[in-house]
Amino acid sequence: MSRDQHKKKIVLVEDEAILIKLLEDKLVSEGYQIVTARDGAEGLEKIKEEKPDLVLLDIIMPKMGGFEVMEELNKDEILAKTPVIIVSNSGQPFELERAKKMGVKDWLIKTEFDPKEVVEKVKNLIG
Amino acid sequence: MASFIRPLETFSSDLQEIRRRKLLNILLLSLIYCALVGVVFALVSWLGLNLPNQLLLFGLCLYVLATSSIVYIINRYGSSRFASVLFLIFMGMGIILSDEASEIATGQTLLAFVPFVVIGSFILSPSVSFILAAIVSVVVTAITLALNLIPNPFVIITFFMIAFVSWLSARSFQEGLEDLQILNHELDRIAKMLVRRDLELTYSKEEIITEKGKIDSVVNSLVDGLIMVDEKERVMLINPKAKVVLKVKEEENVIGRTLSELTNLGYLKNLYEILGNKVEWTGKQYELQIGERLKRTFQVRTTPVVTKSQQIIGLLIILYDITREKEIERMKTEFVSIAAHQLRTPLSSIKWALRLVLDGDLGKISPKQVEVLESGYQSNERMIRLINDLLDVARIEEGHFLYKFSLVSLEDIVKKVIKSLADLISAKKIMFNFRKPEKPLPLVRADIEKIELAVQNLLENAIRYSKDGGKVIVDLNQEKENVKMEISDNGIGIPEQQKPQVFTKFYRGYNAIKAGTEGSGLGLFITKNIIEEHGGKIWFESEEQKGTTFWVAIPINPDLKYQN
């Protein structure tokens, strides 16, 4: 039995290189299995492939943005159940509202939360 | 025929006159023609009959011709009354002279006098019949007496009876004529009035057409779409712009048909749906989005059409193109989102990078390294806060700042903020005193997030601009229709000359800058905006080196602005 199978799988969708690196490292060190994607389209593919326990999703990305990814996920019955936390730098009230309506679990603004705090949120959600 | 009639024509406006002249003319001309015939007859039968009879006839005809001609001329060019009298005289004389005295006395000539009396009453006046009857009676009686005969009373009586009948007829005839004259005048008057009315009507109609023309040209050249429906939802008016907007073809006739009937035409269905599938004045504004590839947004407004007697006879639907405004709105909000993102991304990278190093994730670091990296981290945090403030300001300017209102307990908010500032309070050893309200405060309708931000801002200022060990007092209470908060400190205060600028963007007191305290200078600008958007008021009193007190009052009922 591979140790990997007991690890929770997280798909991380983020276009900023340094942020992906920092977050990935932190999460891996906490014992999570991480799959990364650099844009929305890639992210959607990976989510469909990997069927993760959690998705950390950015909003403003090339090719396909975070909202569009969520729309696509919500179309599929099973995928719609995947918990999603938005990790973004924008955060206008109407955006938060919209995300909430789409079933997003949390919205974290990158300049307010550091990686340690992000990990805490993740732990609270999926253990 | 006309040549026969022309001699009968008269020139007078008086009906009676006309009648008289005409009648006389008829009589005269008939007599003249008869006389002419008589003359001819006399001449022709000269050879066959007794000389005296022909002579008599000839004489009579000549007499008639002569007198008739004279009277005719007078009747035509002179007074008809005088002509009538003359005629009667000649006629009377003619009758008397044409018969023997004995015949006159016995009443044989009676018959000849009857037309005399009757004609008199018709061409002069009805009562003339009596006068003539009297004259004839006198003459006959005189002749009878002259002949030593007994006058026959029956003759006289008969004469007067005939005169009476004649008088009756002539009178009713005359009255009839008078009535006709009155009627004629009346008709004349009515006719004139009708003509005048008709003119006025024509004029009014022209005016209406002109006005309608003006209205039509205004309605047709309107930039907005306009539809008017009556109380039965039938379309009364639709201007070209509305047709274009709703993609109803020019030639389609929609007038008189109800909106619910027309839902198959263009986008009328969408419009009808937006209005709630009925036509009713609700006073609300609606938004209609139409178009496939090029979406256009329209603001739909309804106004009732009211008559002078306050009766609603229809509804006016106005379509106002707000596509451009919507686009600008969208661009503005998008801009703020993008700006937020673009500015924050590098800052978050720095924050996370430094945090991980400082947390030891990348290996142990020396205290000196920690010190340096920590100050870098703090600078970055300041930058993040400044960006947050700038974004708030941008949203304020754009009018998108306040978002969600709910019933809020100010006491809870103040407690929460105080708790979050606990570290700062203890770090500066501030003596903090929160004077809670005596009785529970009513809830206030507010945007929780923004009120929290405002309270935090004011409390932070009070703490930051106090010296170490200073005192900060927060008082929260109800005053009339408002919830009032008082925050006072004994810190560095606000310089007198700078007091007017306290609430402006980027204001920082020179004493604050000197003291080295941080601040973007946007805090109070944002706070003031938040308080005022809640219908409240913010003001302060301060003395340099002594301290500052800020007051905030927010009305409990948001419909009432703050009143002192």
Side-chain angles (χ1 to χ4, degrees), chain A residues 60-74:
Chain A
I60 299 181
M61 291 182 288
K63 287 196 195 152
M64 196 192 275
F67 278 119
E68 285 154 292
V69 171
M70 276 193 290
E71 269 169 31
E72 290 300 313
L73 286 179
N74 282 343

Side-chain angles (χ1 to χ4, degrees), chain B residues 6-12 16-29 32 67-87 90 123-124:
Chain B
R6 215 171 288 132
L8 293 173
E9 273 172 17
T10 51
F11 310 98
S12 174
Q16 304 279 23
E17 270 281 300
I18 293 168
R19 177 183 63 91
R20 186 179 298 122
R21 284 191 206 259
K22 265 209 174 120
L23 211 54
L24 205 51
N25 283 339
I26 293 168
L27 290 168
L28 292 167
L29 288 163
I32 288 170
T67 51
S68 299
S69 307
I70 294 167
V71 175
Y72 179 79
I73 291 165
I74 295 172
N75 187 39
R76 195 172 172 87
Y77 300 110
S79 157
S80 66
R81 270 212 163 85
F82 179 61
S84 305
V85 171
L86 213 59
F87 175 76
F90 287 144
I123 61 172
L124 276 175

Side-chain angles (χ1 to χ4, degrees), chain B residues 295-465:
Chain B
K295 278 202 191 287
R296 294 202 81 84
T297 314
F298 292 90
Q299 193 183 69
V300 180
R301 272 184 255 162
T302 57
T303 307
V305 179
V306 183
T307 60
K308 263 192 178 160
S309 44
Q310 302 297 321
Q311 208 195 351
I312 295 183
I313 55 166
L315 199 74
L316 215 57
I317 303 169
I318 305 163
L319 301 165
Y320 174 52
D321 193 339
I322 54 169
T323 311
R324 192 149 178 275
E325 275 96 322
K326 281 264 147 187
E327 186 61 25
I328 291 171
E329 277 296 307
R330 194 190 62 78
M331 278 162 57
K332 275 163 125 185
T333 28
E334 227 179 75
F335 169 75
V336 174
S337 293
I338 294 173
H341 179 265
Q342 298 296 79
L343 290 168
R344 281 172 173 159
T345 300
L347 294 177
S348 47
S349 305
I350 296 169
K351 176 184 171 118
W352 287 17
L354 288 177
R355 192 75 256 154
L356 286 179
V357 174
L358 281 165
D359 286 348
D361 280 33
L362 300 165
K364 211 161 154 37
I365 46 170
S366 71
K368 193 78 185 168
Q369 284 170 327
V370 168
E371 204 187 307
V372 168
L373 290 171
E374 188 65 44
S375 66
Y377 182 81
Q378 288 306 326
S379 272
N380 196 55
E381 290 292 289
R382 258 179 72 188
M383 193 64 169
I384 290 172
R385 281 197 295 274
L386 175 61
I387 298 292
N388 286 344
D389 284 348
L390 278 173
L391 286 169
D392 282 345
V393 168
R395 277 159 62 203
I396 287 174
E397 309 260 82
E398 196 199 296
H400 272 166
F401 197 46
L402 285 194
Y403 189 67
K404 229 161 119 186
F405 279 80
S406 55
L407 286 173
V408 155
S409 159
L410 270 176
E411 195 183 327
D412 289 346
I413 289 181
V414 172
K415 281 190 200 154
K416 185 177 172 197
V417 171
I418 292 171
K419 203 162 153 204
S420 72
L421 293 170
D423 291 341
L424 188 60
I425 292 169
S426 61
K428 285 193 82 163
K429 299 189 182 53
I430 300 287
M431 281 176 10
F432 200 94
N433 185 4
F434 177 29
R435 291 198 200 133
K436 293 186 195 112
E438 292 136 15
K439 10 168 220 199
L441 291 174
L443 297 181
V444 167
R445 208 171 145 261
D447 179 328
I448 283 193
E449 218 187 277
K450 302 301 182 300
I451 286 292
E452 214 181 283
L453 186 61
V455 170
Q456 174 156 21
N457 193 273
L458 290 166
L459 288 183
E460 254 188 59
N461 281 357
I463 297 165
R464 279 194 208 281
Y465 299 117

Side-chain angles (χ1 to χ4, degrees), chain B residues 174-212:
Chain B
Q174 191 172 42
E175 273 172 5
L177 214 63
E178 275 168 4
D179 285 340
L180 241 142
Q181 204 162 12
I182 293 168
L183 199 70
N184 199 35
H185 278 140
E186 208 36 45
L187 283 170
D188 226 4
R189 198 180 62 81
I190 291 171
K192 283 196 184 120
M193 194 174 71
L194 283 172
V195 166
R196 201 174 47 241
R197 286 256 182 92
D198 190 53
L199 274 171
E200 282 171 11
L201 212 77
T202 310
Y203 182 62
S204 299
K205 272 194 197 155
E206 278 173 5
E207 273 196 336
I208 290 172
I209 290 172
T210 312
E211 282 304 308
K212 189 170 186 299

